[in-house]
Each structure stands twice: as C-alpha cells, then as structure tokens.
Amino acid sequence: PVDYIIEVYTDSGLTSLLHIDTVEVNYDTVKLLQPYSEYWWRVKAMDEAGMDRIFLFGPYPGLDAGKQREADDFVAKIASAAKDRIVPFAFIEPRLESAPQEVDRAVNKLGIRAVKMIPMQWYPGGPEARAVYEKVQELGVPILFHSGILWGVKDDSQYCRPVYYEALLDYPKIKFAMAHMSWPWYDELLAVCGKFRAARRDQIYID
C-alpha cells in the first residue's frame, strides 16, 4: 500500500505545524480544524505519497447562504495554490434558495470545477435538487453524490437510496458519481446503473 503523508499548518510559511499523519487511505481526519479558518499543507507531501492530484471539499454550509459562499471562497482560495493538482468542489445544499446562483458563482467566478451533494432531508429527485441540476447541466460540471448509509446524522440514510438517482435520467448532460457504492444497497445500485446503460447513457459512475 501507498503511505499518504498529511501535513497541516496554521501559517503560509509552513512553520507552525498543526497536524501530521501517515495513512494508507486517500483521506485523513483532522479534528483540530476550525470552520472557515485558513490552513495550509505541503504539496510536497502529495509528491512523497505519489499523489498527482486531490479532490477538495469545503465544509458543509448547513441552511446558511452566507456560510455557503464562505465555504466556496475557502476552497477556491486553497485550490488556487496548485490549480493543476487541487480540484475544488462546491459543497451545495439545494434547500437554500440561492443554491443554483451559488453554483454559477462558484464555477464562473471562483473557478470551482465540480459539485458535492449529500441528500440530507431532501430527495435527489425533489424540486430543490432539480433546480441545482438545471444549473449544473448548463455549466457542464460533474456532481459527486453521497449514496448509501449516512453515518453520524439523523434519519437521512432514507434519502440516499440508489433508486432516487434515477432522476438524473432527466439531465443527460450531467456526469455524476455515486460515492461509497451505495453500501449496503449494492444490488440496487447495479440495477440503477443497468437502467442508465439501457438508456444508452454514460453519465453514471461508481466510486
């Protein structure tokens, strides 16, 4: 296995080390980070770990449009340090009325290249999500969805069943990935993938 070296600093000069870890997976949990604060890490660590690029998600904004903008600004600023190696995602909460406009701002003004969405108290085929899909399809950026059991929150797993993502058949230009292979509903995920294949769509991916 490849060891990934994670170094997080509180200053741009990389002198104040907050966190260092070596993991054998492509993610790490840094419990000391404060929301909407600035941190830096070494791209050198990516080289040592054999990583060409990373996907970077912002903090979940909740139902606060201001925090949604702050989160996207935060991610875009970090990614600007290595645009060819850090791929920023806008973490979009579709229940915010301003969500479609924020997707537009994130992509066209901030240079964010993809969207992250987790169904929490909303269905992937619901009207709030569809308003976001319209804008995403217009802009031509991909979406990474959480799918399957959702840990650590209320009763949100019910919104993350693979079958609900059939709604994306209505948006043929959107490419999207189903994270975690929809565990434990693997069979349902494969059936949904089969439905997209039957419709001759190459828009769905499994992560």
Side-chain angles (χ1 to χ4, degrees), residues 51 62 72 76 110 112 127 135 138-139 177:
M51 298 170 63
D72 291 338
L110 302 179
I112 286 177
K135 178 57 66 176
E138 174 188 328
L139 296 172

Side-chain angles (χ1 to χ4, degrees), residues 30 46 52-53 68 72 82 89 92 127 150 170 186 201 203-204:
V30 185
M46 294 170 57
D52 293 323
R53 65 188 57 178
Q68 174 76 90
D72 291 338
F89 280 63
I92 296 298
L150 188 56
D170 293 336
Y186 300 131
R201 300 286 180 79
Q203 62 187 115
I204 185 170

Side-chain angles (χ1 to χ4, degrees), residues 113-182:
R113 294 158 59 184
V115 168
K116 166 71 173 176
M117 299 178 75
I118 299 181
M120 292 189 286
Q121 302 299 310
W122 57 269
Y123 285 101
E128 311 99 323
R130 287 178 177 274
V132 172
Y133 302 158
E134 292 286 351
K135 178 57 66 176
V136 167
Q137 180 163 257
E138 174 188 328
L139 296 172
V141 294
I143 304 176
L144 174 61
F145 288 107
H146 175 88
S147 63
I149 291 294
L150 188 56
W151 298 98
V153 290
K154 299 178 182 178
D155 57 344
D156 291 315
S157 296
Q158 62 181 309
Y159 301 96
C160 301
R161 298 277 312 227
V163 69
Y164 295 129
Y165 294 96
E166 290 181 351
L168 274 296
L169 284 164
D170 293 336
Y171 305 91
K173 296 181 180 179
I174 295 179
K175 293 188 180 296
F176 66 98
M178 306 278 282
H180 316 299
M181 295 184 66
S182 302

Side-chain angles (χ1 to χ4, degrees), residues 20-143:
I20 184 168
D21 197 8
T22 301
V23 297
E24 293 184 355
V25 291
N26 60 353
Y27 62 87
D28 192 18
T29 300
V30 185
K31 295 182 179 180
L32 299 176
L33 299 186
Q34 298 298 317
Y36 313 110
S37 298
E38 292 187 341
Y39 299 93
W40 290 259
W41 67 85
R42 293 182 186 270
V43 176
K44 177 182 176 183
M46 294 170 57
D47 295 331
E48 294 173 349
M51 298 170 63
D52 293 323
R53 65 188 57 178
I54 62 171
F55 291 171
L56 182 65
F57 308 147
Y60 173 61
L63 296 176
D64 186 321
K67 287 185 177 180
Q68 174 76 90
R69 291 189 295 272
E70 289 176 11
D72 291 338
D73 291 341
F74 176 60
V75 170
K77 184 175 182 179
I78 294 174
S80 68
K83 293 181 179 180
D84 60 331
R85 305 190 68 184
I86 302 175
V87 181
F89 280 63
F91 201 150
I92 296 298
E93 169 52 75
R95 288 177 294 170
L96 291 171
E97 186 176 350
S98 60
Q101 292 75 28
E102 180 57 22
V103 173
D104 187 90
R105 187 186 79 93
V107 173
N108 287 322
K109 183 176 180 180
L110 302 179
I112 286 177
R113 294 158 59 184
V115 168
K116 166 71 173 176
M117 299 178 75
I118 299 181
M120 292 189 286
Q121 302 299 310
W122 57 269
Y123 285 101
E128 311 99 323
R130 287 178 177 274
V132 172
Y133 302 158
E134 292 286 351
K135 178 57 66 176
V136 167
Q137 180 163 257
E138 174 188 328
L139 296 172
V141 294
I143 304 176

